[in-house]
Amino acid sequence: MEKGSDICLVVEGNYPYVTGGVSSWIQWLMEKMKEFTFSIVALIPEEKKPEERKYSFPDNVLSYREFVLFDYDEIEKHPSSKLSRKKWQSISDSIYQLMMDWRKGVLSEGSLSLIRDLVNNETPGIFRNFLEDEAAFALLTRIYEKRRESAGFLKYFYAHRSIHLILFRLLSLYQKLPASKIYHAPSTGYAGMLACLKSAIDGKKNRLSPNMEYTFRKERWNS
C-alpha cells in the first residue's frame, strides 16, 4: 500500500517538463521544505518520455503520477452503462442541476452528492451515456432551449461535448490521486478543480494560493 504524503502538488502543463516560472518555484519549495513529504500529480497535454523531464525529484518526493489531460479513450471506448428509464431520468435531473450549479460557480449538496456517486461508482460508463444516449440528447436540447436559443445548435452541440469531455476526464482521475494530508494546485485551472474536488468530496485540506511556506510551517496535521 502506497504511503501517503504530507502534501500532494497537482500541477498542470509545466513541471517537470518545462523550466522556469512555476516549475522553478515547485522545485524550490520541495527542496527547501525537507521536513515534509510530497507526492506529485502532473496533468500534461500529450504523452512524454521520462528523459524529457527537466527536473530530478528531491528525496522527499514519495510518488509521481502523470496523466494526459486530453486522453478520452477511457470514456470513448468504455461500454455505456445499462440504465433503466427511471434511473436515467433521476440522473438526468441531477446532471441538469449540476450544470446549472457549474454556471453559478457554487455546488449544491445535491450536486456534490451526484459527483461523489459518479467518482466512486459510475465512471466512465455513465459519461459515455451522457454523450450519446437519446435521453442525454433530450437533456442537451432542454438546456439549449433555456439558455442558448440564439446560438446555432450545431456549434452549441460540439462546444457542449468538448467542455464536458474534459470535465468528465477530470472526474475519472479523481480515484487515481495519491493519498495525502493536503492538496495544492499552483494554478487554478484543471489542476485547481481536481484539488478542490478532493476537498469538497473527501473533506481534505487544499490550498490554491502559491504563497504556502508560511501556512505549512504554521499548521500541523495528525497522521
Side-chain angles (χ1 to χ4, degrees), residues 3-181:
K3 182 181 178 182
S5 63
D6 293 317
I7 305 156
C8 176
L9 296 172
V10 188
V11 300
E12 177 186 331
N14 44 55
Y15 189 88
Y17 294 103
V18 179
T19 58
V22 174
S23 295
S24 297
W25 177 81
I26 290 171
Q27 187 75 6
W28 173 87
L29 184 77
M30 295 187 296
E31 289 176 350
K32 294 297 182 182
M33 298 175 64
K34 299 182 185 298
E35 69 270 37
F36 294 99
T37 57
F38 289 84
S39 52
I40 304 169
V41 173
L43 305 181
I44 58 177
E46 57 191 16
E47 194 168 342
K48 302 270 191 182
K49 298 177 181 178
E51 54 266 28
E52 295 181 71
R53 296 172 189 168
K54 307 299 184 183
Y55 295 91
S56 297
F57 304 134
D59 291 339
N60 54 341
V61 173
L62 301 184
S63 69
Y64 172 78
R65 301 178 188 180
E66 65 180 35
F67 303 100
V68 177
L69 194 54
F70 304 109
D71 178 6
Y72 306 126
D73 278 358
E74 184 181 16
I75 296 171
E76 293 179 329
K77 293 182 178 180
H78 198 282
S80 300
S81 297
K82 302 299 182 182
L83 302 175
S84 66
R85 181 179 294 272
K86 183 177 180 180
K87 174 69 172 175
W88 175 251
Q89 185 60 54
S90 173
I91 292 177
S92 178
D93 290 343
S94 297
I95 290 178
Y96 178 80
Q97 183 58 53
L98 172 61
M99 294 172 74
M100 295 301 101
D101 286 352
W102 268 337
R103 285 179 57 86
K104 296 182 293 185
V106 178
L107 296 181
S108 64
E109 184 51 45
S111 291
L112 282 174
S113 178
L114 172 64
I115 292 175
R116 192 175 290 112
D117 287 344
L118 289 176
V119 299
N120 290 325
N121 304 307
E122 301 285 0
T123 56
I126 189 64
F127 297 155
R128 180 81 181 271
N129 289 71
F130 181 78
L131 294 169
E132 297 183 359
D133 279 8
E134 287 186 23
F137 188 79
L139 174 62
L140 170 62
T141 55
R142 175 185 174 188
I143 297 168
Y144 173 74
E145 290 168 358
K146 184 177 179 63
R147 297 288 182 182
R148 289 287 184 270
E149 271 192 311
S150 59
F153 182 77
L154 186 62
K155 190 177 293 184
Y156 179 81
F157 173 83
Y158 283 108
H160 169 92
R161 181 181 177 87
S162 62
I163 288 170
H164 286 87
L165 263 175
I166 187 62
L167 292 175
F168 292 157
R169 171 62 170 156
L170 287 174
L171 291 180
S172 73
L173 295 178
Y174 182 84
Q175 292 289 0
K176 299 174 184 178
L177 291 174
S180 188
K181 296 175 183 176

